[in-house]
PDB file of all heavy atoms in Angstrom:
ATOM      1  N   LEU A 325       0.616  -0.052  15.120  1.00 71.00           N
ATOM      2  CA  LEU A 325      -0.774  -0.020  15.572  1.00 71.00           C
ATOM      3  C   LEU A 325      -1.664  -0.855  14.657  1.00 71.00           C
ATOM      4  O   LEU A 325      -2.556  -1.582  15.120  1.00 71.00           O
ATOM      5  CB  LEU A 325      -1.280   1.424  15.621  1.00 71.00           C
ATOM      6  CG  LEU A 325      -0.651   2.337  16.679  1.00 71.00           C
ATOM      7  CD1 LEU A 325      -1.269   3.726  16.605  1.00 71.00           C
ATOM      8  CD2 LEU A 325      -0.841   1.753  18.074  1.00 71.00           C
ATOM      9  N   LEU A 326      -1.434  -0.754  13.340  1.00 67.00           N
ATOM     10  CA  LEU A 326      -2.204  -1.573  12.406  1.00 67.00           C
ATOM     11  C   LEU A 326      -1.937  -3.056  12.634  1.00 67.00           C
ATOM     12  O   LEU A 326      -2.835  -3.890  12.534  1.00 67.00           O
ATOM     13  CB  LEU A 326      -1.849  -1.193  10.964  1.00 67.00           C
ATOM     14  CG  LEU A 326      -2.408   0.129  10.447  1.00 67.00           C
ATOM     15  CD1 LEU A 326      -1.869   0.411   9.049  1.00 67.00           C
ATOM     16  CD2 LEU A 326      -3.926   0.102  10.423  1.00 67.00           C
ATOM     17  N   TRP A 327      -0.687  -3.379  12.940  1.00 67.00           N
ATOM     18  CA  TRP A 327      -0.321  -4.772  13.195  1.00 67.00           C
ATOM     19  C   TRP A 327      -1.098  -5.307  14.397  1.00 67.00           C
ATOM     20  O   TRP A 327      -1.608  -6.425  14.385  1.00 67.00           O
ATOM     21  CB  TRP A 327       1.180  -4.854  13.440  1.00 67.00           C
ATOM     22  CG  TRP A 327       1.712  -6.253  13.571  1.00 67.00           C
ATOM     23  CD1 TRP A 327       1.517  -7.118  14.613  1.00 67.00           C
ATOM     24  CD2 TRP A 327       2.517  -6.949  12.626  1.00 67.00           C
ATOM     25  NE1 TRP A 327       2.162  -8.298  14.382  1.00 67.00           N
ATOM     26  CE2 TRP A 327       2.784  -8.228  13.170  1.00 67.00           C
ATOM     27  CE3 TRP A 327       3.053  -6.623  11.389  1.00 67.00           C
ATOM     28  CZ2 TRP A 327       3.559  -9.167  12.506  1.00 67.00           C
ATOM     29  CZ3 TRP A 327       3.822  -7.557  10.734  1.00 67.00           C
ATOM     30  CH2 TRP A 327       4.068  -8.812  11.281  1.00 67.00           C
ATOM     31  N   GLN A 328      -1.196  -4.494  15.462  1.00 67.00           N
ATOM     32  CA  GLN A 328      -1.916  -4.928  16.655  1.00 67.00           C
ATOM     33  C   GLN A 328      -3.405  -5.098  16.380  1.00 67.00           C
ATOM     34  O   GLN A 328      -4.055  -5.976  16.938  1.00 67.00           O
ATOM     35  CB  GLN A 328      -1.706  -3.925  17.785  1.00 67.00           C
ATOM     36  CG  GLN A 328      -0.268  -3.843  18.277  1.00 67.00           C
ATOM     37  CD  GLN A 328      -0.070  -2.737  19.290  1.00 67.00           C
ATOM     38  OE1 GLN A 328      -1.006  -2.052  19.679  1.00 67.00           O
ATOM     39  NE2 GLN A 328       1.170  -2.549  19.726  1.00 67.00           N
ATOM     40  N   ALA A 329      -3.946  -4.227  15.512  1.00 65.00           N
ATOM     41  CA  ALA A 329      -5.382  -4.279  15.235  1.00 65.00           C
ATOM     42  C   ALA A 329      -5.736  -5.250  14.118  1.00 65.00           C
ATOM     43  O   ALA A 329      -6.918  -5.488  13.872  1.00 65.00           O
ATOM     44  CB  ALA A 329      -5.887  -2.883  14.867  1.00 65.00           C
ATOM     45  N   ALA A 330      -4.726  -5.803  13.428  1.00 61.00           N
ATOM     46  CA  ALA A 330      -5.005  -6.702  12.305  1.00 61.00           C
ATOM     47  C   ALA A 330      -5.744  -7.941  12.796  1.00 61.00           C
ATOM     48  O   ALA A 330      -5.325  -8.576  13.766  1.00 61.00           O
ATOM     49  CB  ALA A 330      -3.706  -7.106  11.618  1.00 61.00           C
ATOM     50  N   PRO A 331      -6.857  -8.305  12.151  1.00 61.00           N
ATOM     51  CA  PRO A 331      -7.631  -9.452  12.624  1.00 61.00           C
ATOM     52  C   PRO A 331      -6.897 -10.771  12.460  1.00 61.00           C
ATOM     53  O   PRO A 331      -6.940 -11.628  13.326  1.00 61.00           O
ATOM     54  CB  PRO A 331      -8.897  -9.402  11.756  1.00 61.00           C
ATOM     55  CG  PRO A 331      -8.491  -8.643  10.526  1.00 61.00           C
ATOM     56  CD  PRO A 331      -7.446  -7.661  10.974  1.00 61.00           C
ATOM     57  N   GLU A 332      -6.223 -10.957  11.346  1.00 70.00           N
ATOM     58  CA  GLU A 332      -5.514 -12.208  11.088  1.00 70.00           C
ATOM     59  C   GLU A 332      -4.637 -12.022   9.860  1.00 70.00           C
ATOM     60  O   GLU A 332      -4.803 -11.083   9.086  1.00 70.00           O
ATOM     61  CB  GLU A 332      -6.503 -13.348  10.841  1.00 70.00           C
ATOM     62  CG  GLU A 332      -7.426 -13.093   9.668  1.00 70.00           C
ATOM     63  CD  GLU A 332      -8.439 -14.195   9.445  1.00 70.00           C
ATOM     64  OE1 GLU A 332      -8.478 -15.131  10.263  1.00 70.00           O
ATOM     65  OE2 GLU A 332      -9.172 -14.111   8.453  1.00 70.00           O
ATOM     66  N   VAL A 333      -3.683 -12.923   9.710  1.00 72.00           N
ATOM     67  CA  VAL A 333      -2.853 -12.887   8.512  1.00 72.00           C
ATOM     68  C   VAL A 333      -3.649 -13.478   7.353  1.00 72.00           C
ATOM     69  O   VAL A 333      -4.378 -14.452   7.515  1.00 72.00           O
ATOM     70  CB  VAL A 333      -1.541 -13.666   8.736  1.00 72.00           C
ATOM     71  CG1 VAL A 333      -1.810 -15.125   9.037  1.00 72.00           C
ATOM     72  CG2 VAL A 333      -0.618 -13.529   7.534  1.00 72.00           C
ATOM     73  N   SER A 334      -3.543 -12.851   6.191  1.00 76.00           N
ATOM     74  CA  SER A 334      -4.299 -13.305   5.027  1.00 76.00           C
ATOM     75  C   SER A 334      -3.364 -13.382   3.828  1.00 76.00           C
ATOM     76  O   SER A 334      -3.123 -12.378   3.149  1.00 76.00           O
ATOM     77  CB  SER A 334      -5.471 -12.355   4.741  1.00 76.00           C
ATOM     78  OG  SER A 334      -6.169 -12.760   3.584  1.00 76.00           O
ATOM     79  N   ILE A 335      -2.826 -14.574   3.594  1.00 83.00           N
ATOM     80  CA  ILE A 335      -1.976 -14.778   2.425  1.00 83.00           C
ATOM     81  C   ILE A 335      -2.788 -14.601   1.147  1.00 83.00           C
ATOM     82  O   ILE A 335      -2.290 -14.097   0.137  1.00 83.00           O
ATOM     83  CB  ILE A 335      -1.331 -16.173   2.475  1.00 83.00           C
ATOM     84  CG1 ILE A 335      -0.456 -16.310   3.731  1.00 83.00           C
ATOM     85  CG2 ILE A 335      -0.494 -16.420   1.231  1.00 83.00           C
ATOM     86  CD1 ILE A 335       0.693 -15.352   3.789  1.00 83.00           C
ATOM     87  N   SER A 336      -4.062 -15.002   1.191  1.00 83.00           N
ATOM     88  CA  SER A 336      -4.893 -14.879  -0.011  1.00 83.00           C
ATOM     89  C   SER A 336      -5.084 -13.419  -0.404  1.00 83.00           C
ATOM     90  O   SER A 336      -5.182 -13.097  -1.592  1.00 83.00           O
ATOM     91  CB  SER A 336      -6.248 -15.543   0.214  1.00 83.00           C
ATOM     92  OG  SER A 336      -6.968 -14.897   1.250  1.00 83.00           O
ATOM     93  N   ALA A 337      -5.137 -12.507   0.582  1.00 83.00           N
ATOM     94  CA  ALA A 337      -5.278 -11.086   0.256  1.00 83.00           C
ATOM     95  C   ALA A 337      -4.051 -10.581  -0.489  1.00 83.00           C
ATOM     96  O   ALA A 337      -4.169  -9.837  -1.473  1.00 83.00           O
ATOM     97  CB  ALA A 337      -5.495 -10.275   1.534  1.00 83.00           C
ATOM     98  N   VAL A 338      -2.855 -10.977  -0.045  1.00 87.00           N
ATOM     99  CA  VAL A 338      -1.631 -10.563  -0.736  1.00 87.00           C
ATOM    100  C   VAL A 338      -1.560 -11.207  -2.118  1.00 87.00           C
ATOM    101  O   VAL A 338      -1.150 -10.572  -3.096  1.00 87.00           O
ATOM    102  CB  VAL A 338      -0.395 -10.934   0.107  1.00 87.00           C
ATOM    103  CG1 VAL A 338       0.887 -10.577  -0.626  1.00 87.00           C
ATOM    104  CG2 VAL A 338      -0.436 -10.218   1.438  1.00 87.00           C
ATOM    105  N   TRP A 339      -1.969 -12.461  -2.200  1.00 88.00           N
ATOM    106  CA  TRP A 339      -1.927 -13.145  -3.494  1.00 88.00           C
ATOM    107  C   TRP A 339      -2.872 -12.472  -4.488  1.00 88.00           C
ATOM    108  O   TRP A 339      -2.479 -12.154  -5.613  1.00 88.00           O
ATOM    109  CB  TRP A 339      -2.287 -14.619  -3.316  1.00 88.00           C
ATOM    110  CG  TRP A 339      -2.414 -15.341  -4.620  1.00 88.00           C
ATOM    111  CD1 TRP A 339      -3.559 -15.654  -5.287  1.00 88.00           C
ATOM    112  CD2 TRP A 339      -1.340 -15.814  -5.447  1.00 88.00           C
ATOM    113  NE1 TRP A 339      -3.280 -16.289  -6.468  1.00 88.00           N
ATOM    114  CE2 TRP A 339      -1.921 -16.405  -6.595  1.00 88.00           C
ATOM    115  CE3 TRP A 339       0.045 -15.793  -5.326  1.00 88.00           C
ATOM    116  CZ2 TRP A 339      -1.158 -16.968  -7.606  1.00 88.00           C
ATOM    117  CZ3 TRP A 339       0.806 -16.355  -6.338  1.00 88.00           C
ATOM    118  CH2 TRP A 339       0.207 -16.937  -7.460  1.00 88.00           C
ATOM    119  N   GLN A 340      -4.125 -12.253  -4.083  1.00 88.00           N
ATOM    120  CA  GLN A 340      -5.098 -11.656  -4.997  1.00 88.00           C
ATOM    121  C   GLN A 340      -4.806 -10.184  -5.252  1.00 88.00           C
ATOM    122  O   GLN A 340      -4.992  -9.692  -6.368  1.00 88.00           O
ATOM    123  CB  GLN A 340      -6.507 -11.806  -4.416  1.00 88.00           C
ATOM    124  CG  GLN A 340      -6.967 -13.244  -4.277  1.00 88.00           C
ATOM    125  CD  GLN A 340      -8.276 -13.361  -3.522  1.00 88.00           C
ATOM    126  OE1 GLN A 340      -9.041 -12.407  -3.419  1.00 88.00           O
ATOM    127  NE2 GLN A 340      -8.541 -14.530  -2.972  1.00 88.00           N
ATOM    128  N   GLY A 341      -4.350  -9.476  -4.218  1.00 88.00           N
ATOM    129  CA  GLY A 341      -4.146  -8.043  -4.375  1.00 88.00           C
ATOM    130  C   GLY A 341      -2.883  -7.679  -5.121  1.00 88.00           C
ATOM    131  O   GLY A 341      -2.860  -6.686  -5.856  1.00 88.00           O
ATOM    132  N   TYR A 342      -1.821  -8.484  -4.957  1.00 89.00           N
ATOM    133  CA  TYR A 342      -0.538  -8.094  -5.550  1.00 89.00           C
ATOM    134  C   TYR A 342      -0.006  -9.132  -6.536  1.00 89.00           C
ATOM    135  O   TYR A 342       0.132  -8.851  -7.724  1.00 89.00           O
ATOM    136  CB  TYR A 342       0.495  -7.853  -4.451  1.00 89.00           C
ATOM    137  CG  TYR A 342       1.810  -7.326  -4.981  1.00 89.00           C
ATOM    138  CD1 TYR A 342       1.931  -5.990  -5.344  1.00 89.00           C
ATOM    139  CD2 TYR A 342       2.912  -8.152  -5.141  1.00 89.00           C
ATOM    140  CE1 TYR A 342       3.126  -5.495  -5.846  1.00 89.00           C
ATOM    141  CE2 TYR A 342       4.110  -7.669  -5.640  1.00 89.00           C
ATOM    142  CZ  TYR A 342       4.210  -6.339  -5.995  1.00 89.00           C
ATOM    143  OH  TYR A 342       5.387  -5.859  -6.500  1.00 89.00           O
ATOM    144  N   PHE A 343       0.298 -10.328  -6.050  1.00 89.00           N
ATOM    145  CA  PHE A 343       1.022 -11.290  -6.881  1.00 89.00           C
ATOM    146  C   PHE A 343       0.215 -11.723  -8.104  1.00 89.00           C
ATOM    147  O   PHE A 343       0.733 -11.725  -9.221  1.00 89.00           O
ATOM    148  CB  PHE A 343       1.417 -12.506  -6.044  1.00 89.00           C
ATOM    149  CG  PHE A 343       2.480 -12.214  -5.031  1.00 89.00           C
ATOM    150  CD1 PHE A 343       2.163 -12.052  -3.700  1.00 89.00           C
ATOM    151  CD2 PHE A 343       3.800 -12.075  -5.413  1.00 89.00           C
ATOM    152  CE1 PHE A 343       3.135 -11.766  -2.765  1.00 89.00           C
ATOM    153  CE2 PHE A 343       4.789 -11.785  -4.490  1.00 89.00           C
ATOM    154  CZ  PHE A 343       4.455 -11.627  -3.160  1.00 89.00           C
ATOM    155  N   ALA A 344      -1.044 -12.093  -7.911  1.00 86.00           N
ATOM    156  CA  ALA A 344      -1.837 -12.608  -9.029  1.00 86.00           C
ATOM    157  C   ALA A 344      -2.307 -11.515  -9.974  1.00 86.00           C
ATOM    158  O   ALA A 344      -2.856 -11.819 -11.035  1.00 86.00           O
ATOM    159  CB  ALA A 344      -3.052 -13.375  -8.495  1.00 86.00           C
ATOM    160  N   SER A 345      -2.091 -10.254  -9.625  1.00 86.00           N
ATOM    161  CA  SER A 345      -2.569  -9.173 -10.479  1.00 86.00           C
ATOM    162  C   SER A 345      -1.464  -8.256 -10.988  1.00 86.00           C
ATOM    163  O   SER A 345      -1.672  -7.554 -11.983  1.00 86.00           O
ATOM    164  CB  SER A 345      -3.612  -8.328  -9.724  1.00 86.00           C
ATOM    165  OG  SER A 345      -3.103  -7.889  -8.485  1.00 86.00           O
ATOM    166  N   HIS A 346      -0.282  -8.248 -10.332  1.00 86.00           N
ATOM    167  CA  HIS A 346       0.756  -7.295 -10.723  1.00 86.00           C
ATOM    168  C   HIS A 346       2.129  -7.921 -10.949  1.00 86.00           C
ATOM    169  O   HIS A 346       2.995  -7.259 -11.519  1.00 86.00           O
ATOM    170  CB  HIS A 346       0.878  -6.193  -9.664  1.00 86.00           C
ATOM    171  CG  HIS A 346      -0.378  -5.408  -9.469  1.00 86.00           C
ATOM    172  ND1 HIS A 346      -0.903  -4.583 -10.437  1.00 86.00           N
ATOM    173  CD2 HIS A 346      -1.243  -5.340  -8.427  1.00 86.00           C
ATOM    174  CE1 HIS A 346      -2.022  -4.033  -9.998  1.00 86.00           C
ATOM    175  NE2 HIS A 346      -2.249  -4.473  -8.785  1.00 86.00           N
ATOM    176  N   VAL A 347       2.372  -9.131 -10.484  1.00 87.00           N
ATOM    177  CA  VAL A 347       3.638  -9.812 -10.763  1.00 87.00           C
ATOM    178  C   VAL A 347       3.424 -10.649 -12.020  1.00 87.00           C
ATOM    179  O   VAL A 347       2.712 -11.654 -11.996  1.00 87.00           O
ATOM    180  CB  VAL A 347       4.067 -10.693  -9.576  1.00 87.00           C
ATOM    181  CG1 VAL A 347       5.374 -11.411  -9.888  1.00 87.00           C
ATOM    182  CG2 VAL A 347       4.222  -9.837  -8.321  1.00 87.00           C
ATOM    183  N   TRP A 348       4.035 -10.240 -13.121  1.00 82.00           N
ATOM    184  CA  TRP A 348       3.635 -10.740 -14.439  1.00 82.00           C
ATOM    185  C   TRP A 348       3.783 -12.248 -14.589  1.00 82.00           C
ATOM    186  O   TRP A 348       2.989 -12.883 -15.276  1.00 82.00           O
ATOM    187  CB  TRP A 348       4.423 -10.019 -15.535  1.00 82.00           C
ATOM    188  CG  TRP A 348       5.911 -10.139 -15.426  1.00 82.00           C
ATOM    189  CD1 TRP A 348       6.744  -9.317 -14.741  1.00 82.00           C
ATOM    190  CD2 TRP A 348       6.736 -11.145 -16.021  1.00 82.00           C
ATOM    191  NE1 TRP A 348       8.040  -9.742 -14.860  1.00 82.00           N
ATOM    192  CE2 TRP A 348       8.071 -10.863 -15.648  1.00 82.00           C
ATOM    193  CE3 TRP A 348       6.495 -12.245 -16.833  1.00 82.00           C
ATOM    194  CZ2 TRP A 348       9.141 -11.639 -16.048  1.00 82.00           C
ATOM    195  CZ3 TRP A 348       7.559 -13.030 -17.239  1.00 82.00           C
ATOM    196  CH2 TRP A 348       8.862 -12.725 -16.853  1.00 82.00           C
ATOM    197  N   PHE A 349       4.783 -12.871 -13.942  1.00 83.00           N
ATOM    198  CA  PHE A 349       4.946 -14.312 -14.110  1.00 83.00           C
ATOM    199  C   PHE A 349       4.045 -15.115 -13.167  1.00 83.00           C
ATOM    200  O   PHE A 349       4.130 -16.339 -13.121  1.00 83.00           O
ATOM    201  CB  PHE A 349       6.410 -14.728 -13.921  1.00 83.00           C
ATOM    202  CG  PHE A 349       7.021 -14.298 -12.612  1.00 83.00           C
ATOM    203  CD1 PHE A 349       6.836 -15.038 -11.461  1.00 83.00           C
ATOM    204  CD2 PHE A 349       7.777 -13.149 -12.544  1.00 83.00           C
ATOM    205  CE1 PHE A 349       7.399 -14.645 -10.267  1.00 83.00           C
ATOM    206  CE2 PHE A 349       8.351 -12.745 -11.353  1.00 83.00           C
ATOM    207  CZ  PHE A 349       8.157 -13.493 -10.210  1.00 83.00           C
ATOM    208  N   LEU A 350       3.171 -14.416 -12.417  1.00 86.00           N
ATOM    209  CA  LEU A 350       2.209 -15.094 -11.553  1.00 86.00           C
ATOM    210  C   LEU A 350       0.771 -14.729 -11.895  1.00 86.00           C
ATOM    211  O   LEU A 350      -0.152 -15.094 -11.169  1.00 86.00           O
ATOM    212  CB  LEU A 350       2.484 -14.754 -10.081  1.00 86.00           C
ATOM    213  CG  LEU A 350       3.821 -15.233  -9.510  1.00 86.00           C
ATOM    214  CD1 LEU A 350       3.988 -14.747  -8.083  1.00 86.00           C
ATOM    215  CD2 LEU A 350       3.937 -16.747  -9.573  1.00 86.00           C
ATOM    216  N   THR A 351       0.559 -14.000 -12.987  1.00 84.00           N
ATOM    217  CA  THR A 351      -0.790 -13.596 -13.370  1.00 84.00           C
ATOM    218  C   THR A 351      -1.389 -14.607 -14.342  1.00 84.00           C
ATOM    219  O   THR A 351      -0.711 -15.101 -15.241  1.00 84.00           O
ATOM    220  CB  THR A 351      -0.779 -12.206 -14.033  1.00 84.00           C
ATOM    221  OG1 THR A 351       0.067 -12.242 -15.189  1.00 84.00           O
ATOM    222  CG2 THR A 351      -0.270 -11.153 -13.077  1.00 84.00           C
ATOM    223  N   GLY A 352      -2.662 -14.898 -14.169  1.00 80.00           N
ATOM    224  CA  GLY A 352      -3.367 -15.773 -15.093  1.00 80.00           C
ATOM    225  C   GLY A 352      -2.736 -17.151 -15.201  1.00 80.00           C
ATOM    226  O   GLY A 352      -2.298 -17.760 -14.219  1.00 80.00           O
ATOM    227  N   TYR A 353      -2.673 -17.652 -16.459  1.00 78.00           N
ATOM    228  CA  TYR A 353      -2.112 -18.983 -16.694  1.00 78.00           C
ATOM    229  C   TYR A 353      -0.607 -19.031 -16.458  1.00 78.00           C
ATOM    230  O   TYR A 353      -0.041 -20.116 -16.285  1.00 78.00           O
ATOM    231  CB  TYR A 353      -2.421 -19.431 -18.125  1.00 78.00           C
ATOM    232  CG  TYR A 353      -3.883 -19.721 -18.357  1.00 78.00           C
ATOM    233  CD1 TYR A 353      -4.655 -18.896 -19.160  1.00 78.00           C
ATOM    234  CD2 TYR A 353      -4.492 -20.815 -17.750  1.00 78.00           C
ATOM    235  CE1 TYR A 353      -6.003 -19.147 -19.365  1.00 78.00           C
ATOM    236  CE2 TYR A 353      -5.839 -21.081 -17.949  1.00 78.00           C
ATOM    237  CZ  TYR A 353      -6.587 -20.249 -18.756  1.00 78.00           C
ATOM    238  OH  TYR A 353      -7.922 -20.510 -18.941  1.00 78.00           O
ATOM    239  N   ALA A 354       0.050 -17.864 -16.450  1.00 80.00           N
ATOM    240  CA  ALA A 354       1.490 -17.853 -16.188  1.00 80.00           C
ATOM    241  C   ALA A 354       1.811 -18.383 -14.800  1.00 80.00           C
ATOM    242  O   ALA A 354       2.926 -18.861 -14.555  1.00 80.00           O
ATOM    243  CB  ALA A 354       2.042 -16.437 -16.343  1.00 80.00           C
TER     244      ALA A 354
END
Side-chain angles (χ1 to χ4, degrees):
L325 292 181
L326 286 175
W327 186 289
Q328 295 174 3
E332 59 182 4
V333 61
S334 178
I335 299 298
S336 63
V338 177
W339 174 260
Q340 296 172 21
Y342 185 77
F343 290 103
S345 53
H346 300 293
V347 179
W348 58 271
F349 55 83
L350 296 176
T351 59
Y353 291 111

